[in-house]
């Protein structure tokens, strides 16, 4: 739930957003809730739209693809350059592999967020 004053939108949020309520004036914002967990007041100075623009999707996908290429090159370097082998290189290799997998999963699943 939310309130508005002077062009700003306020929302009391916690894990179950629908149970909170807010009121606001020019100096104070108050939330009421029926639980003892943490909550916060979120403030938006303009209307927030959740639709992705073509530019943001393109930048995200190109950035992730570039990151995957660079991480793959790092993995190859750390794995096959015998002159730099050691404990630190092994740690960097495993870190690069983890980041590569995380980027790949994110890139493959970025558009799979709707309910089926």
């Amino acid at each position: 739930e939310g309130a508005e004053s002077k062009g700003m939108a306020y929302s009391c949020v916690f894990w179950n957003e629908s149970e909170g309520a807010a009121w606001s004036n020019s100096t104070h914002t108050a939330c009421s809730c029926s639980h003892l967990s943490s909550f916060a007041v979120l403030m938006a100075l303009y209307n927030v739209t959740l639709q992705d623009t073509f530019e943001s999707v393109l930048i995200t996908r190109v950035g992730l693809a570039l990151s995957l290429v660079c991480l793959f090159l790092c993995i190859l370097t750390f794995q096959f350059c015998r002159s730099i082998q050691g404990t630190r290189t092994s740690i960097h290799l495993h870190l690069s592999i983890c980041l590569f997998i995380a980027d790949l999963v994110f890139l493959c699943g970025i558009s799979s967020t709707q309910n089926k």
Side-chain angles (χ1 to χ4, degrees), residues 7-85:
M8 289 190 252
Y10 302 92
S11 179
C12 291
V13 293
F14 53 96
W15 187 256
N16 186 358
E17 182 181 336
S18 64
E19 292 180 21
W23 63 266
S24 180
N25 61 26
S26 61
T27 59
H28 293 80
T29 299
C31 290
S32 64
C33 57
S34 59
H35 59 86
L36 297 175
S37 66
S38 299
F39 64 94
V41 176
L42 299 180
M43 200 169 52
L45 300 176
Y46 52 88
N47 288 338
V48 178
T49 58
L50 298 177
Q51 295 193 356
D52 295 327
T53 62
F54 173 76
E55 293 84 9
S56 67
V57 171
L58 181 67
I59 290 171
T60 301
R61 292 183 188 264
V62 169
L64 283 170
L66 183 63
S67 177
L68 284 170
V69 169
C70 292
L71 283 168
F72 183 72
L73 292 174
C74 286
I75 291 168
L76 290 178
T77 302
F78 292 138
Q79 182 67 32
F80 296 115
C81 285
R82 298 290 173 209
S83 61
I84 61 170
Q85 293 298 317

Side-chain angles (χ1 to χ4, degrees), residues 103-115:
D103 276 358
L104 187 62
V105 168
F106 186 72
L107 184 62
C108 293
I110 195 170
S111 59
S112 302
T113 58
Q114 293 83 16
N115 287 334

